[in-house]
Amino acid sequence: MKNIFETRLLFWKFEWKGLLFWLTFPLLVTIIIMFAFGAIEEEANVPVGVVLEDDSILAKQLYESIQSTPYVKPFLLDEREAINQLEKQQLDSVFVIQKHFDENIERGRKNNLIKSYSSNLSFTYVPLKELVISYVNGDFTRAQAAFTVEQLYEQYDVENDVNWHELIERSKVIEREQNLLKTSLTFFNSDVVEKGEQSIIDPWTIWVFATFLCTLFIFDWVIKENNKSIQNRLLFSKWSKRYYFALNGLIYTVLMFIIDIVTIIILAIIFNFEITFYLMMTLISYRVTLNMFAFLFSFLFKSVYSFYMISFALLCASLIMSGIIVPIDGLISQFPAIVYFNPFHPVLTINPFNYWFIIAILLCFVSFIREEKQHA
Amino acid sequence: MNVIKRILLFINNYIKQFKRKWIQLPLLFFFPLFIVGLTITLFVFLILPDENNPIKIGIVDYDQSEETKVIIRLLEQSDELGPFIKIKSIEEAEAKEQMLADELSAYISFPKHFTSDLYVGKSVSLDIIGNKNRETESYIVKELLDSIVRHIRTSQASILMINEHAKKLGMSMEEREELIFESFISSFLNVLGKDQLVSEEKVKNDAFVSPIHYYAISIVFILTFIWLMMTYNILYQEEAKRIFNRMRLYSVTYYEQIISRFIVTLIVTALFTMTVTAFIQYSVNFNLYGEDIVRIFVIVFLHSIIFLQILALCELLINSERLRLLSQVMIMLFFIGVSGAILPTTYLPLSIQQWIIYFPSYHSLYWLQQILLKDRLYADFQLLIVYVIVGFVLLSILSIVKERVRE
């Protein structure tokens, strides 16, 4: 045991740079991706054309509201130019604020307020339309209310001391001051509470896949040491090949586990998530399963380089299978059995009970028995 | 002369390598196809909602006021929310049962005194209870409710204002309640009929542009990247290092080896790409003229060389094989992302957009789209040619430096 550890230290002495790099890589990559993504998400913009055919205050306010919406970058253009740019795909869609916009709203006419142009490559047209509609409908509702109030005064034959614009402003003030109606989303039979703004990616997911790749990369020692020249030397030592590889695998697992814990603590501090008991258990079960898998898998290879390439292919397949590249909820709700084939599903949903763990143990067991027979 | 001879020798050697491990070729061809195909299939599943399987939302009404009843009835009957959303009134116990049976995507509960609280200006919360198995759908419901709530907020403010003035005018309690109810319903009807506010028109980008054509180009473009990357790296041999030391005695350089790998990679990728292109042309049919094919060929050829040069530069600069592969993959992803093959570049941050036009991948894809989608009879190769020249200069310098350093 002690000897093997010393030999391992000798190996590490020569390759400590690489080892250190791949051990810390999941942490680094998680931080980098999270920040890069945050920056892009913040700066992402949807170019939209706005045509003002009406120069009333109401129309200008509508333009300003669109302008103040995050992610949306409106360009004031004339209609011909806007459509031209839309055809060239320089704009996502175009909204024309029609002539007599404010007049029509004041009179409660719904048609001919806004005209929109979109193409079949307008990816964000639907939410943009919803946005514009919500602004216009706000104006519309306020105008209606103001109209109702004016009617009331007429009905009661009282001199109206507030004019139209004051009424509209008043209802805006009430809306701003009394932001009373809220919505919340919780999940049935689950403690997870939705936390408002949600990023598409979370650090745990990135860490899981970065760790997957790095673990495979680090286990290239199996391939490097599973060759004739080293085997011959092993023959002269007191260790069997089985013992040698199993113990080394254990040493690596312990090392990686220590790094995992440090990584998770750092990530939890930076990204502000809680380290629960379940999370820790999931981490342990993932680490052990992954290491057993990487260990067995690397025995199948003779060349390190093809092992690396296959590792990338596996990573790619797992990303797709877990719905990271394209969300697969729709598919899962139609064919719920899919999740059982995905070894990452329990890990990503933070569930320590992964039956792949048992499969990996069985496989390890079987392969050692086979090894034994070969020696016999 | 000797240089060419040696390059030919290498090429021959690589082809032999492929013959020996012939199984690599179909793997090389089908793996990217499989991955890209799978992604597209999943994407289609994602964007085409199933009409037979609409998002089912339950509404639990604890308030039981006139207003909520009318709202729920209107929501149940309305088609405004589209055919993919079905809303029905439900009891909480029943809702829970259906959640367990995975028949409901989410349910919304109107709390007790919902309407009266709204009228007097008390804070109210509408709770959505989502189905964990249908997370995306639950978020859609949340989006939908948020958009309705935004409208209701405006209505609520207007109603409070009407109430203020009605009080001032000394209306009786009953009259006021009736007035408020009327305005509430009328503004809710506004919400349901909100789509009337915008008259929509579709612009056809070009006679020929359909998302299918657009994405067909992107798909081939991405596939080319992956094939170049994989073929180039499969040709790299680890043992080559030792052999190479011996070969250096015959004044063989890195450069020759790299050039011959370029040539073999280009031939293999060209075969693959042409197969797929022929298949796509057969199924979606682009408008192609003879000259276009030459232009497309030149663009893809130049662009592939630039990409291979970058891969080769990585190889010369980074000694660790793992790190090299990783950086090559990263660069590939970056090139694909920046090209606009996945998301058109107009949606990227403005600060990136300024630089994007100088990227070879963006430039190539742009001209490919111009030729194939806009039927342009012209393409600009200058930038690509400049990149190819710069690439070769860099490669020569680096390979010479590297050889000197080894000595």
Side-chain angles (χ1 to χ4, degrees):
Chain A
M1 173 76 202
K2 202 181 152 212
N3 289 335
I4 285 190
F5 189 63
E6 274 165 5
T7 337
R8 189 43 47 194
L9 281 182
L10 260 178
F11 272 114
W12 283 350
K13 207 171 163 186
F14 290 101
E15 50 178 39
W16 65 271
K17 276 186 206 153
L19 185 67
L20 191 71
F21 179 80
W22 295 110
L23 282 175
T24 49
F25 184 75
L27 175 69
L28 295 177
V29 98
T30 310
I31 295 174
I32 292 171
I33 292 182
M34 284 300 287
F35 281 110
F37 220 83
I40 290 179
E41 230 177 5
E42 230 163 71
E43 253 198 86
N45 79 89
V46 176
V48 48
V50 177
V51 182
L52 281 180
E53 281 190 348
D54 185 82
D55 55 357
S56 63
I57 304 168
L58 208 56
K60 273 179 194 142
Q61 277 174 347
L62 175 59
Y63 169 73
E64 277 158 21
S65 314
I66 297 173
Q67 201 172 26
S68 63
T69 314
Y71 309 131
V72 179
K73 180 142 186 57
F75 294 93
L76 265 185
L77 302 160
D78 66 78
E79 192 164 347
R80 185 189 289 261
E81 174 61 20
I83 292 174
N84 186 18
Q85 288 197 16
L86 177 66
E87 280 170 357
K88 283 189 195 155
Q89 261 178 267
Q90 283 162 351
L91 295 175
D92 179 83
S93 41
V94 174
F95 291 90
V96 184
I97 302 172
Q98 301 271 47
K99 263 183 198 144
H100 311 303
F101 177 73
D102 65 336
E103 232 177 275
N104 281 337
I105 280 196
E106 277 171 33
R107 299 212 176 135
R109 290 194 202 122
K110 270 191 178 173
N111 299 327
N112 280 327
L113 291 175
I114 305 279
K115 193 174 175 185
S116 73
Y117 293 96
S118 61
S119 74
N120 43 19
L121 287 171
S122 298
F123 293 94
T124 51
Y125 171 65
V126 176
L128 275 175
K129 190 184 83 181
E130 281 302 316
L131 179 82
V132 172
I133 285 179
S134 82
Y135 290 134
V136 176
N137 193 47
D139 286 335
F140 198 80
T141 310
R142 278 189 287 272
Q144 262 189 340
F147 184 69
T148 315
V149 172
E150 284 193 340
Q151 261 191 331
L152 275 183
Y153 279 98
E154 263 173 45
Q155 212 178 322
Y156 278 75
D157 219 9
V158 180
E159 181 75 24
N160 189 357
D161 52 348
V162 276
N163 68 23
W164 180 272
H165 284 289
E166 281 169 346
L167 285 176
I168 298 229
E169 280 312 309
R170 175 70 193 139
S171 101
K172 275 189 191 167
V173 169
I174 296 178
E175 189 177 344
R176 220 174 306 130
E177 281 174 354
Q178 309 203 330
N179 200 354
L180 299 172
L181 193 54
K182 290 186 210 95
T183 60
S184 74
L185 174 61
T186 46
F187 285 102
F188 186 60
N189 274 353
S190 156
D191 304 334
V192 188
V193 182
E194 192 253 356
K195 293 181 198 87
E197 287 283 301
Q198 245 224 350
S199 186
I200 313 168
I201 45 169
D202 71 310
W204 172 254
T205 311
I206 306 172
W207 180 84
V208 165
F209 287 105
T211 305
F212 176 71
L213 185 71
C214 290
T215 308
L216 284 174
F217 275 5
I218 291 173
F219 266 82
D220 65 349
W221 64 269
V222 175
I223 302 165
K224 284 181 187 156
E225 287 158 38
N226 188 18
N227 62 26
K228 276 269 150 51
S229 62
I230 290 191
Q231 306 265 304
N232 285 343
R233 262 170 254 185
L234 270 178
L235 278 181
F236 292 99
S237 71
K238 58 182 176 188
W239 313 312
S240 70
K241 184 188 165 191
R242 217 158 42 112
Y243 185 70
Y244 174 81
F245 278 107
L247 256 182
N248 272 312
L250 198 68
I251 293 172
Y252 268 101
T253 308
V254 171
L255 175 74
M256 287 161 141
F257 185 63
I258 295 169
I259 301 284
D260 286 345
I261 291 176
V262 176
T263 306
I264 285 298
I265 290 173
I266 296 176
L267 287 180
I269 293 170
I270 297 179
F271 299 109
N272 217 353
F273 61 85
E274 215 179 322
I275 301 179
T276 55
F277 175 71
Y278 250 55
L279 187 77
M280 276 328 277
M281 293 312 286
T282 312
L283 179 80
I284 295 171
S285 101
Y286 179 53
R287 171 50 77 204
V288 175
T289 317
L290 181 59
N291 278 18
M292 284 195 287
F293 169 72
F295 185 69
L296 291 176
F297 190 61
S298 50
F299 272 109
L300 302 175
F301 287 85
K302 286 227 158 54
S303 128
V304 195
Y305 205 67
S306 38
F307 177 65
Y308 297 148
M309 283 179 72
I310 297 290
S311 304
F312 271 109
L314 279 180
L315 176 71
C316 187
S318 341
L319 283 174
I320 292 179
M321 196 162 55
S322 310
I324 306 298
I325 297 176
V326 180
I328 52 167
D329 291 36
L331 204 66
I332 289 177
S333 64
Q334 280 186 38
F335 311 103
I338 292 179
V339 294
Y340 297 110
F341 293 104
N342 183 1
F344 289 96
H345 188 261
V347 185
L348 292 175
T349 51
I350 311 188
N351 176 1
F353 306 105
N354 194 344
Y355 76 93
W356 287 87
F357 181 76
I358 298 162
I359 293 180
I361 289 181
L362 282 178
L363 280 174
C364 269
F365 196 67
V366 168
S367 66
F368 274 108
I369 290 177
R370 272 181 56 199
E371 193 77 20
E372 187 99 307
K373 275 187 184 159
Q374 271 176 14
H375 278 278
Chain B
M1 212 48 223
N2 264 336
V3 177
I4 297 175
K5 236 191 211 166
R6 284 197 293 261
I7 289 179
L8 282 176
L9 184 84
F10 276 126
I11 293 177
N12 213 352
N13 198 20
Y14 286 132
I15 292 173
K16 265 189 203 153
Q17 190 191 329
F18 266 130
K19 270 188 190 159
R20 217 172 42 235
K21 297 181 182 170
W22 61 271
I23 192 95
Q24 280 178 341
L25 271 179
L27 260 180
L28 202 59
F29 179 63
F30 283 112
F31 179 72
L33 275 185
F34 172 72
I35 291 288
V36 172
L38 193 65
T39 314
I40 297 167
T41 321
L42 290 177
F43 195 71
V44 170
F45 260 98
L46 181 76
I47 56 168
L48 291 183
D50 190 357
E51 237 176 288
N52 303 321
N53 212 350
I55 301 180
K56 291 193 192 107
I57 309 170
I59 298 185
V60 180
D61 185 7
Y62 283 118
D63 190 21
Q64 295 288 350
S65 64
E66 280 303 311
E67 283 84 346
T68 51
K69 278 181 193 161
V70 175
I71 291 180
I72 292 167
R73 206 172 58 236
L74 284 171
L75 281 173
E76 275 179 323
Q77 291 161 356
S78 153
D79 297 328
E80 292 289 339
L81 301 170
F84 309 116
I85 290 172
K86 285 263 173 308
I87 292 179
K88 62 175 174 182
S89 169
I90 204 170
E91 295 291 320
E92 176 135 34
E94 203 184 332
K96 280 183 177 160
E97 243 169 59
Q98 295 198 5
M99 285 289 239
L100 283 176
D102 202 23
E103 283 167 6
L104 213 60
S105 302
Y107 69 88
I108 303 167
S109 66
F110 284 99
K112 262 186 189 158
H113 313 303
F114 173 73
T115 337
S116 52
D117 283 352
L118 269 190
Y119 287 162
V120 293
K122 259 194 201 164
S123 177
V124 196
S125 171
L126 281 176
D127 298 323
I128 307 164
I129 289 88
N131 189 338
K132 195 72 194 155
N133 296 335
R134 300 172 180 233
E135 222 178 306
T136 318
E137 287 180 5
S138 301
Y139 280 106
I140 293 176
V141 175
K142 162 102 168 130
E143 268 316 295
L144 188 77
L145 191 68
D146 275 342
S147 121
I148 294 178
V149 158
R150 263 198 300 278
H151 293 290
I152 294 183
R153 264 189 215 134
T154 318
S155 317
Q156 185 205 4
S158 309
I159 288 165
L160 288 176
M161 184 192 69
I162 294 175
N163 198 21
E164 271 177 17
H165 286 274
K167 262 187 200 163
K168 215 163 79 182
L169 286 170
M171 269 174 103
S172 73
M173 183 79 173
E174 261 170 40
E175 276 177 312
R176 253 184 18 230
E177 265 176 9
E178 199 179 317
L179 179 68
I180 285 172
F181 180 69
E182 262 171 36
S183 15
F184 186 84
I185 297 302
S186 89
S187 53
F188 191 73
L189 284 173
N190 278 344
V191 176
L192 283 182
K194 62 190 161 51
D195 285 343
Q196 267 181 298
L197 295 172
V198 172
S199 58
E200 298 174 67
E201 239 172 83
K202 277 265 175 212
V203 168
K204 283 224 163 180
N205 297 37
D206 277 283
F208 219 57
V209 172
S210 71
I212 294 175
H213 287 94
Y214 183 87
Y215 277 109
I217 301 175
S218 301
I219 288 164
V220 179
F221 194 71
I222 294 172
L223 280 174
T224 317
F225 266 115
I226 306 177
W227 278 322
L228 285 170
M229 163 95 198
M230 286 177 67
T231 317
Y232 185 78
N233 275 311
I234 277 189
L235 289 175
Y236 173 88
Q237 298 151 303
E238 294 154 78
E239 320 92 76
K241 262 188 198 162
R242 270 175 293 148
I243 300 170
F244 189 69
N245 273 340
R246 264 171 264 173
M247 284 193 294
R248 279 177 54 208
L249 296 175
Y250 301 94
S251 71
V252 174
T253 56
Y254 275 120
Y255 206 64
E256 288 157 11
Q257 218 189 1
I258 285 172
I259 297 288
S260 44
R261 250 157 85 203
F262 276 13
I263 295 171
V264 177
T265 311
L266 284 174
I267 294 171
V268 172
T269 311
L271 284 176
F272 288 172
T273 311
M274 278 195 262
T275 316
V276 170
T277 313
F279 178 73
I280 283 183
Q281 172 66 8
Y282 177 74
S283 47
V284 299
N285 203 11
F286 284 98
N287 261 344
L288 274 183
Y289 308 105
E291 273 175 81
D292 283 348
I293 296 174
V294 178
R295 284 193 197 100
I296 293 167
F297 182 80
V298 174
I299 292 175
V300 175
F301 179 70
L302 289 175
H303 179 245
S304 302
I305 290 185
I306 296 169
F307 184 58
L308 284 177
Q309 283 172 336
I310 292 169
L311 295 185
L313 284 174
C314 280
E315 193 180 316
L316 288 175
L317 285 172
I318 304 171
N319 275 325
S320 154
E321 284 157 355
R322 295 176 276 189
L323 193 58
R324 180 198 307 157
L325 267 175
L326 183 74
S327 26
Q328 286 175 340
V329 170
M330 297 281 212
I331 289 172
M332 180 179 82
L333 292 179
F334 181 72
F335 264 56
I336 293 174
V338 151
S339 70
I342 295 167
L343 191 70
T345 48
T346 35
Y347 297 99
L348 290 175
L350 282 176
S351 50
I352 299 180
Q353 273 187 44
Q354 292 176 342
W355 303 102
I356 254 173
I357 42 170
Y358 301 109
F359 274 98
S361 61
Y362 170 79
H363 195 80
S364 317
L365 188 66
Y366 174 77
W367 284 108
L368 285 179
Q369 286 170 347
Q370 293 289 317
I371 295 170
L372 286 164
L373 300 177
K374 317 240 155 157
D375 286 337
R376 288 211 21 198
L377 293 171
Y378 168 78
D380 182 9
F381 306 125
Q382 282 174 17
L383 188 76
L384 292 179
I385 292 173
V386 170
Y387 271 115
V388 170
I389 294 169
V390 171
F392 275 121
V393 170
L394 273 180
L395 266 184
S396 347
I397 294 172
L398 255 172
S399 61
I400 290 168
V401 168
K402 188 150 182 180
E403 243 145 274
R404 286 287 140 80
V405 169
R406 284 169 64 107
E407 280 164 25

